[in-house]
């Protein structure tokens, strides 16, 4: 379903690094007021900490929700610090978090009404599952590439020098096309 006007959205967010810091992923589930899922995001964001991944998930969730032009958005996170920071309950002295908070608030302020609610990790299962899906999809893609590379190496081992030189020329032409 493409973006359209929605009166009220519920947005569930999560982020996690595999090691802290490490490869990190975000998960976002956007639902309408009847809890119908209208968009899901499961994506890796590079190397960072779990805490920063959760802030980045909130920013991406806000950006994604903007496409639906809602009157009201309620964001959910199981990170109490993030929720308190965004709601202005307390501030942070950490410059990198302060910067992310400013970005998040800048995105949120595009909505006529918004708030961020803390929810238990078990209630936030949908967003957590999407983080896991991002890691899984990446692992599958990596395995697929490794399989292709092994097939190519096996073929290259059977080629004489002249054919190997031809293969290199074809590879260079393919690179230039991109």
């Amino acid at each position: 379903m493409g973006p359209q006007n929605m009166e009220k959205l519920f947005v569930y967010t999560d982020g996690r690094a595999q090691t802290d810091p490490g490869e990190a992923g975000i998960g976002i589930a956007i639902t309408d007021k009847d809890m119908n899922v209208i968009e899901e995001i499961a994506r890796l964001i590079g190397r960072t900490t779990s805490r920063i991944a959760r802030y980045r998930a909130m920013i991406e969730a806000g950006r994604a929700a903007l496409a639906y032009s809602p009157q009201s958005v309620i964001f959910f996170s199981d990170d109490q610090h993030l929720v308190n920071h965004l709601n202005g309950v307390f501030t942070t002295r950490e410059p990198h978090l302060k910067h992310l908070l400013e970005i998040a608030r800048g995105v949120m302020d595009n909505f006529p009404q918004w708030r961020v609610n803390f929810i238990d990790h078990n209630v936030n299962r949908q967003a957590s599952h999407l983080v896991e899906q991002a890691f899984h999809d990446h692992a599958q893609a990596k395995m697929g590439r490794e399989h292709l590379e092994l097939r190519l190496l096996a073929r290259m081992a059977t080629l004489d020098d002249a054919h190997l030189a031809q293969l290199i020329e074809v590879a260079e032409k393919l690179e230039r096309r991109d």
Side-chain angles (χ1 to χ4, degrees):
M1 184 188 317
Q4 60 190 32
N5 280 349
M6 298 256 171
E7 191 65 27
K8 186 174 198 172
L9 292 179
F10 297 97
V11 183
Y12 298 84
T13 71
D14 198 11
R16 187 174 66 74
Q18 285 185 314
T19 57
D20 241 352
E23 189 65 39
I26 60 172
I28 300 161
I30 302 175
T31 71
D32 64 16
K33 64 184 187 326
D34 301 315
M35 300 308 291
N36 298 308
V37 175
I38 56 175
E39 186 174 350
E40 290 183 327
I41 297 168
R43 191 170 72 237
L44 294 188
I45 58 168
R47 188 176 166 79
T48 190
T49 65
S50 289
R51 172 170 263 184
I52 289 175
R54 289 190 290 271
Y55 280 71
R56 296 262 310 270
M58 189 63 70
I59 291 165
E60 290 306 313
R63 289 178 177 152
L66 277 174
Y68 299 94
S69 305
Q71 288 303 300
S72 169
V73 186
I74 301 174
F75 294 91
F76 297 95
S77 172
D78 55 29
D79 182 334
Q80 185 73 66
H81 285 274
L82 171 59
V83 171
N84 287 341
H85 284 147
L86 273 170
N87 287 327
V89 174
F90 57 76
T91 59
T92 180
R93 289 199 175 102
E94 297 175 76
H96 61 291
L97 292 184
K98 209 173 224 175
H99 176 69
L100 291 171
L101 276 169
E102 285 168 11
I103 294 170
R105 283 209 192 95
V107 172
M108 307 295 184
D109 286 341
N110 287 293
F111 301 110
Q113 290 183 308
W114 66 271
R115 73 174 189 265
V116 183
N117 286 356
F118 173 76
I119 53 170
D120 185 80
H121 180 72
N122 293 326
V123 182
N124 204 25
R125 252 185 262 131
Q126 194 172 10
S128 295
H129 173 72
L130 289 166
V131 174
E132 293 306 318
Q133 184 182 316
F135 288 126
H136 175 77
D137 292 350
H138 176 72
Q140 291 296 104
K142 193 173 172 186
M143 280 174 31
R145 179 171 179 93
E146 286 170 0
H147 177 72
L148 290 172
E149 288 173 357
L150 286 172
R151 285 181 54 202
L152 180 59
L153 284 170
R155 292 286 168 94
M156 285 171 34
T158 65
L159 297 177
D160 60 31
D161 289 352
H163 285 108
L164 202 52
Q166 279 183 304
L167 180 61
I168 291 168
E169 282 179 35
V170 170
E172 288 170 349
K173 282 180 188 170
L174 288 171
E175 282 176 336
R176 284 193 293 269
R177 273 198 223 153
D178 289 348

